[in-house]
Amino acid sequence: MTVTTREQCAALDREDPLRGLRDEFELPKGVIYLDGNSLGARPRSAAARAAQVVTEEWGVGLIRSWNTAGWFQLPQRLGDKIAPLVGAKPGEVVVTDTTSINLFKVLAAALRVQAARDPARKVIVSERSNFPTDLYIAQGLADLLQQGYELRLVDAPEQIGAALGADTAVLMVTEVNYRTGHLLDMRAVTAQAHEKGALAVWDLCHSAGALPIDLHAAGADYAIGCTYKYLNGGPGSPAFVWVAPALREQFWQPLSGWWGHEAPFAMAPGYRPAQGVQRYMCGTQPITSMALVECGLDIFARTDMQALRAKSLALTDLFIALVESRCARHPLTLVTPRDHARRGSQVSIEHPQGFAVMAALIERGVIGDYREPRILRFGFTPLYVGFADVWDAVEVLRDVLDGETWKDARFQARSAVT
Amino acid sequence: MTVTTREQCAALDREDPLRGLRDEFELPKGVIYLDGNSLGARPRSAAARAAQVVTEEWGVGLIRSWNTAGWFQLPQRLGDKIAPLVGAKPGEVVVTDTTSINLFKVLAAALRVQAARDPARKVIVSERSNFPTDLYIAQGLADLLQQGYELRLVDAPEQIGAALGADTAVLMVTEVNYRTGHLLDMRAVTAQAHEKGALAVWDLCHSAGALPIDLHAAGADYAIGCTYKYLNGGPGSPAFVWVAPALREQFWQPLSGWWGHEAPFAMAPGYRPAQGVQRYMCGTQPITSMALVECGLDIFARTDMQALRAKSLALTDLFIALVESRCARHPLTLVTPRDHARRGSQVSIEHPQGFAVMAALIERGVIGDYREPRILRFGFTPLYVGFADVWDAVEVLRDVLDGETWKDARFQARSAVT
C-alpha cells in the first residue's frame, strides 16, 4: 500500500497491535521523539521506582537494602531480563559498568584466550566507522599491553572477510552501525571470523531492544551493549555483558574488583573470580540508575522482538517512502540500506547542511540527532513511535526544507550534541 | 569532662554548632545509624532531585538534557565541589566510574610514568589489610601487563617505609583503614615514598568527607575515592579521581572511552585525550545516580572539615569511653587507635562473636556493620550523628551483651553484609 495521507497513517496506528505499549511511556507534548537510539524515552513506571529507591530503599532501608531490597541481586536479575532479548540464557548476562568498560573486559579476555592458543595473533579487526569509543578502547588496551597488538580497520562491511587472517585475534564489530544504520549479519560475520580462527566480539548498543538477536544461534563469543537506548533504561544507565558459555570458565578479566570475587565478604587479600556471570563485575554499581533499567525491561515482557521488528521495519519503510515522495526536490541522500536484512531501526539521511536542518527540526519538536558528517539521524522505537508520528515528522522536515528556515543563524552554531 | 549520663550527652547536642545539619538528612525513626562509612544517609533534598532528573530532565528534556540540564558538565561540577574537601583546586577532580575502575586508571598511569623513568621499578607496595578491591585491581593490572609487576604487602602501617625501595614503582595505600579505622599520616607516608622514588596513590574512600585532607600539602600524586560513604551521594554513586597537576599532562590512562576524548563529537577513529580533568573519564555515566551526589556535597558547603573533624573526634572519644566504662565486663577489644592523629571517623571493636552481636544490634535499630574477623564497626558521621545517639547506641550494646541476646540462633546465620 502506498501511503499518501495522514489519515492512512492514523489508520495504521489504530490497527497496530503494539499501540497500547505507547501508554507505558511518558512523552512530552508537542514532541515527536526520534532519538530513542541515543536516549530512550522514560517509562511511566520510572518515576515511582526512582522515588521508591531513593526514599524507601536508600532513605529507610539504608545499608540493609543490599540484602532486603535485593541490590546484590540486581545486576543478575536485570541480566536475566535482557537475556531473552539477545538470545542468551538465564545466568549468562549481567548489567554492570559502562559499554566502554565492558568492552575493555571482553577484549582483554579474548586476547588472553588467543594468546594461549596462538601468540602470533596480534590483530584486532574492526570497521573504521565503528562507534568511536569501541576503537578508542581497543587502542587503549593495545597501548597498555605493549605486546604488539594492532587495530586493522576496514572501510566497508563487505571488506571484513578479507581483513581476517591467521594474524587475527579478534573481530570487534557493532551489529548496527550508529551512523548509517547498517545491520551486519551476525551469524555470517561470526562464521567468517571463526573460519580464520578469530574470536567475535559484538557490540549490541544499537540493536538490543531494536531487533531480534540470537547470540547462541550466531555462535558469537562475547557481546556487550547499552541499556539507555532502545532498552529505555534512563540516562547513562549501566551496560550489559555476555560471554559464550564455552568461554565463560576461562573468562579472566583484568578489572578484578570486589563484586567479581568468589567471596567478596571474606575480605581476602587475593583475588579469586566468582563462578559464572558475577565474575564480569568489578566495583560497586550505581544502584539508583541501575534500578530504573528494570522499568524499561519490564515493558519488553509484554511483547516480543519479532512483533517489534515487524513494526520497526514498517515505520522505517514508511519514513523512507514519505521522505522520498514529499521532500523529493531537496538534496537528501538515503544512507541507511533499503534491504530489510541490512537495516537497523534508524534511518540516516545526508543533507549538505545536516547540522542546521536538524537544529531547525528539533526547535519544531521533531527530535532526531546529527552525526558527522552531514547526517540527519532518525531512530524509530516501535514501543512508542507511531505511524502518524512518522507522517508528522516528515511534514515538519518538508516544511523546514521548503521554507529554508534552517538557514537562520541560530541553527548554525555548533554545541555538544550526543 | 567524663560523661556519665544521657542528659550530659543531650546537653552536648544542644551546644553542638553542627546540630542543625542533621535536619538536612532523612533518617528512619527508631534507628541509630552508625554505618555512614559504608552507605551515607539520604540528604532530604535527594528525593526532589531524583524526581526532577527522572521526570523533567529525562522525561521531558530527553536527549536535549545533555546540554540543557548540564549533564555534560555534571562530572566536573561535582568534582569542583569535592575539591575543597580534599585539598584540591577547581578543575582537578572529576566524578566518574567506580573507585575500582578509577584505581585501575591511576595505577596504570603511575606505572607508565615510572616505566619511562626507571623500568626496573616493578613493585607496588601496599598493606595486606588494605581494602581488598584495591589489592584485586593491582593484581588484575599486573596480571594483564605480564611485565613482571608484583605486589608487596606489609602487615602493619609502620612497615611501609622499610618496604619501599629502589624497586618500588608505586605506593598504593588507603588513608583510613576500612577495618581498623587507622589513619595514615598522608604527608609523612608520601614523603617516604618520594624519598625512595615511588609515586603515591591514595585511596580516600574512608576519609573524604570524614576528616580534613590536603592532597597538595601532602604532595600526593594520585587519589581516588568514593562518594557514597561520608559524602552521602547515594547507593553506589560514582567515584572521584584526582591527579597532581605535575602529572596531569602526562596522565595517560588505558580506559580511553569517548568521554575522555578531546573532541568526542568529531567521531574520529583515533583517540586523543582531552586536556585537563576530562581525560580521566571513559564511557557514559549513570546520570541519575550521579546527580544525587550533588545533594550530599551541597551540605558540606554549609560547614567546614575542621568543624566536622572536631565533632567526629568528640563522638568517637565519647563512644570509646562509654563502651569501656559501661561494657567493661564483656570481652571487647578496641581496635581503632586512641591517638587522634591516627584515628579516622569510625570505631572498630573486636568481640569473639562479633557477627552475632552486630546482628542483634541491628535488630534493635543500632546499625553498624561487621567485618571479618570478629570486628564490630561503628561509623560516626558528624553531619547527622549526635552525642545522645552515642549514649543510646552504647546502652543497646550493653543490653545486648548483658542479656546475651546475640546467642539467639537467628543472629548466627551469615548472609551478605556490606
CSV table of all heavy atoms in Angstrom, one decimal, chain A residues 356-376:
chain,number,residue,atom,x,y,z
A,356,ALA,N,22.4,22.1,10.6
A,356,ALA,CA,21.4,23.2,10.7
A,356,ALA,C,20.0,22.7,10.5
A,356,ALA,O,19.0,23.1,11.2
A,356,ALA,CB,21.7,24.3,9.7
A,357,VAL,N,19.8,21.7,9.6
A,357,VAL,CA,18.5,21.2,9.4
A,357,VAL,C,18.0,20.5,10.6
A,357,VAL,O,16.9,20.6,11.1
A,357,VAL,CB,18.5,20.2,8.2
A,357,VAL,CG1,17.2,19.5,8.1
A,357,VAL,CG2,18.8,20.9,6.9
A,358,MET,N,18.9,19.7,11.3
A,358,MET,CA,18.5,19.0,12.5
A,358,MET,C,18.2,20.0,13.6
A,358,MET,O,17.2,19.8,14.3
A,358,MET,CB,19.5,18.0,12.9
A,358,MET,CG,19.2,17.2,14.2
A,358,MET,SD,17.5,16.4,14.1
A,358,MET,CE,17.8,15.1,12.9
A,359,ALA,N,19.0,21.0,13.7
A,359,ALA,CA,18.7,22.1,14.8
A,359,ALA,C,17.3,22.7,14.5
A,359,ALA,O,16.5,22.9,15.5
A,359,ALA,CB,19.8,23.1,14.7
A,360,ALA,N,17.0,22.9,13.3
A,360,ALA,CA,15.6,23.5,13.0
A,360,ALA,C,14.5,22.5,13.3
A,360,ALA,O,13.5,22.9,13.8
A,360,ALA,CB,15.6,24.0,11.5
A,361,LEU,N,14.8,21.3,13.0
A,361,LEU,CA,13.8,20.2,13.3
A,361,LEU,C,13.5,20.1,14.8
A,361,LEU,O,12.4,20.0,15.2
A,361,LEU,CB,14.2,18.8,12.8
A,361,LEU,CG,14.1,18.6,11.3
A,361,LEU,CD1,14.8,17.3,10.9
A,361,LEU,CD2,12.7,18.6,10.8
A,362,ILE,N,14.6,20.1,15.5
A,362,ILE,CA,14.5,20.0,17.0
A,362,ILE,C,13.7,21.2,17.6
A,362,ILE,O,12.8,21.0,18.4
A,362,ILE,CB,15.9,19.9,17.7
A,362,ILE,CG1,16.5,18.5,17.3
A,362,ILE,CG2,15.8,20.0,19.2
A,362,ILE,CD1,17.9,18.3,17.7
A,363,GLU,N,13.9,22.4,17.0
A,363,GLU,CA,13.2,23.5,17.5
A,363,GLU,C,11.7,23.3,17.2
A,363,GLU,O,10.8,23.8,18.0
A,363,GLU,CB,13.6,24.8,16.8
A,363,GLU,CG,13.2,26.0,17.6
A,363,GLU,CD,13.3,27.3,16.9
A,363,GLU,OE1,12.8,27.4,15.7
A,363,GLU,OE2,13.9,28.2,17.4
A,364,ARG,N,11.4,22.6,16.2
A,364,ARG,CA,9.9,22.4,15.8
A,364,ARG,C,9.4,21.1,16.6
A,364,ARG,O,8.2,20.7,16.3
A,364,ARG,CB,9.8,22.2,14.3
A,364,ARG,CG,10.1,23.4,13.5
A,364,ARG,CD,8.9,24.4,13.4
A,364,ARG,NE,7.8,23.7,12.8
A,364,ARG,CZ,7.5,23.7,11.5
A,364,ARG,NH1,8.3,24.3,10.7
A,364,ARG,NH2,6.4,23.1,11.0
A,365,GLY,N,10.2,20.5,17.4
A,365,GLY,CA,9.7,19.4,18.2
A,365,GLY,C,9.9,18.0,17.6
A,365,GLY,O,9.5,17.0,18.1
A,366,VAL,N,10.6,18.0,16.5
A,366,VAL,CA,11.0,16.7,15.9
A,366,VAL,C,12.4,16.4,16.3
A,366,VAL,O,13.3,17.0,15.7
A,366,VAL,CB,10.8,16.7,14.3
A,366,VAL,CG1,11.3,15.4,13.8
A,366,VAL,CG2,9.3,16.9,14.0
A,367,ILE,N,12.5,15.5,17.3
A,367,ILE,CA,13.9,15.3,17.9
A,367,ILE,C,14.5,14.1,17.3
A,367,ILE,O,14.1,12.9,17.6
A,367,ILE,CB,13.8,15.2,19.4
A,367,ILE,CG1,13.1,16.5,20.0
A,367,ILE,CG2,15.1,15.0,20.0
A,367,ILE,CD1,13.0,16.5,21.5
A,368,GLY,N,15.4,14.3,16.4
A,368,GLY,CA,16.4,13.3,15.9
A,368,GLY,C,17.7,13.8,16.4
A,368,GLY,O,17.8,14.5,17.4
A,369,ASP,N,18.8,13.3,15.7
A,369,ASP,CA,20.1,13.9,16.1
A,369,ASP,C,21.0,14.0,14.8
A,369,ASP,O,20.6,13.5,13.7
A,369,ASP,CB,20.7,13.3,17.3
A,369,ASP,CG,21.1,11.8,17.1
A,369,ASP,OD1,21.1,11.3,15.9
A,369,ASP,OD2,21.3,11.1,18.1
A,370,TYR,N,22.1,14.6,15.0
A,370,TYR,CA,23.0,14.9,13.9
A,370,TYR,C,24.3,14.1,14.2
A,370,TYR,O,24.7,14.0,15.3
A,370,TYR,CB,23.3,16.4,13.8
A,370,TYR,CG,24.4,16.7,12.9
A,370,TYR,CD1,24.2,16.7,11.5
A,370,TYR,CD2,25.7,17.0,13.4
A,370,TYR,CE1,25.3,17.0,10.6
A,370,TYR,CE2,26.8,17.2,12.5
A,370,TYR,CZ,26.5,17.2,11.1
A,370,TYR,OH,27.6,17.5,10.3
A,371,ARG,N,24.8,13.5,13.1
A,371,ARG,CA,26.1,12.9,13.2
A,371,ARG,C,27.0,13.3,12.1
A,371,ARG,O,26.6,13.3,10.9
A,371,ARG,CB,25.9,11.3,13.2
A,371,ARG,CG,25.5,10.7,14.5
A,371,ARG,CD,26.5,10.9,15.6
A,371,ARG,NE,26.0,10.4,16.9
A,371,ARG,CZ,25.5,11.2,17.9
A,371,ARG,NH1,25.3,12.5,17.6
A,371,ARG,NH2,25.1,10.8,19.0
A,372,GLU,N,28.2,13.6,12.4
A,372,GLU,CA,29.2,13.9,11.4
A,372,GLU,C,29.4,12.8,10.4
A,372,GLU,O,29.4,11.6,10.9
A,372,GLU,CB,30.6,14.2,12.1
A,372,GLU,CG,30.6,15.5,13.0
A,372,GLU,CD,30.4,16.8,12.3
A,372,GLU,OE1,30.5,16.8,11.0
A,372,GLU,OE2,30.2,17.8,12.9
A,373,PRO,N,29.6,13.0,9.1
A,373,PRO,CA,29.4,14.3,8.5
A,373,PRO,C,28.1,14.4,7.8
A,373,PRO,O,27.7,13.5,7.1
A,373,PRO,CB,30.5,14.3,7.5
A,373,PRO,CG,30.7,12.9,7.1
A,373,PRO,CD,30.2,12.0,8.2
A,374,ARG,N,27.4,15.5,8.0
A,374,ARG,CA,26.1,15.8,7.3
A,374,ARG,C,25.0,14.9,7.5
A,374,ARG,O,24.0,14.9,6.7
A,374,ARG,CB,26.5,15.8,5.7
A,374,ARG,CG,27.5,16.9,5.3
A,374,ARG,CD,27.8,16.8,3.8
A,374,ARG,NE,28.3,15.5,3.4
A,374,ARG,CZ,29.6,15.2,3.5
A,374,ARG,NH1,30.5,16.0,4.1
A,374,ARG,NH2,30.0,14.0,3.1
A,375,ILE,N,25.0,14.0,8.5
A,375,ILE,CA,23.9,13.0,8.6
A,375,ILE,C,22.8,13.4,9.6
A,375,ILE,O,23.1,13.7,10.8
A,375,ILE,CB,24.5,11.7,9.0
A,375,ILE,CG1,25.2,11.1,7.8
A,375,ILE,CG2,23.4,10.7,9.5
A,375,ILE,CD1,25.8,9.7,7.9
A,376,LEU,N,21.6,13.4,9.1
A,376,LEU,CA,20.4,13.5,9.9
A,376,LEU,C,20.0,12.1,10.3
A,376,LEU,O,19.9,11.2,9.5
A,376,LEU,CB,19.2,14.1,9.1
A,376,LEU,CG,19.4,15.4,8.4
A,376,LEU,CD1,18.3,15.7,7.4
A,376,LEU,CD2,19.4,16.5,9.5
